Amino acid sequence: MNDEDYMRLALMEAQAASLRGEVPVGAVLVNPETDEIIAKTGNAPIGICDPTAHAEILALRDGAYKTENYRLTGFDLYVTLEPCVMCAGAIANARIRRVIYGASDPKGGAVHSGVRFFEQPSCHHRPEVTEGVLADEASALLKSFFKARRRKAKRKGQI
């Protein structure tokens, strides 16, 4: 499989998150040596009442549990949206080899937007980063989700 194939799986996880009422972000953790998918998940902060339950965090937790190691050295993380500061910190701590993301997040992203976490002197591990893989699809999913939420809020008189 290639980057687009794995990102399509992450997009399916994002779509599933959207159907649960979560912001549609999906993540897939892969061992590139074996092409084994270690974890795949979508955002879940609302569903499990956990503000840290971003797709990336859930994938890292699942991967660490399955490998019985908090270091995920050599693994690749595919995510549909540019990781935030919290997720970038977790990615660095897990020693992820490579981060591949779809849509940029100018407001909340922390890789190529905002604080550029991996470029900070306090960041002890800098993964290789590939941006823009299936970005149009990831962006369209997010825009559609938020458009529907605004429409629903407007009907309820909340806007």
Side-chain angles (χ1 to χ4, degrees):
M1 291 181 57
N2 61 32
D3 285 352
E4 286 190 6
D5 294 329
Y6 289 121
M7 190 61 74
R8 285 187 207 297
L9 294 175
L11 283 165
M12 288 178 11
E13 293 297 323
Q15 181 64 42
S18 178
L19 294 172
R20 296 189 306 269
E22 303 280 359
V23 174
V25 177
V28 174
L29 182 65
V30 176
N31 179 342
E33 289 183 16
T34 63
D35 281 334
E36 180 186 4
I37 295 169
I38 306 300
K40 58 182 180 171
T41 189
N43 269 359
I46 297 167
I48 65 173
C49 299
D50 179 353
T52 68
H54 291 195
E56 301 95 308
I57 299 293
L58 295 174
L60 294 175
R61 285 179 186 160
D62 194 27
Y65 178 78
K66 286 177 180 172
T67 62
E68 297 181 342
N69 193 339
Y70 73 107
R71 297 281 196 223
L72 299 168
T73 306
F75 289 11
D76 295 346
L77 182 66
Y78 292 81
V79 61
T80 58
L81 182 65
E82 179 181 1
C84 69
V85 173
M86 174 183 68
C87 294
I91 289 164
N93 282 317
R95 305 297 195 258
I96 293 295
R97 177 184 81 110
R98 193 167 159 243
V99 175
I100 305 91
Y101 70 86
S104 294
D105 185 359
K107 286 185 178 181
V111 176
H112 289 118
S113 305
V115 301
R116 297 177 178 252
F117 184 84
F118 300 132
E119 296 175 21
Q120 300 306 310
S122 58
C123 180
H124 300 297
H125 173 77
R126 292 166 180 80
E128 179 185 330
V129 177
T130 301
E131 63 179 311
V133 176
L134 300 181
D136 291 342
E137 291 91 330
S139 181
L141 185 57
L142 286 156
K143 286 176 183 175
S144 173
F145 175 81
F146 285 113
K147 184 177 181 180
R149 283 185 73 169
R150 284 190 299 276
R151 205 171 33 245
K152 185 176 178 181
K154 190 172 184 178
R155 278 196 309 266
K156 289 184 173 184
Q158 296 171 343
I159 295 182

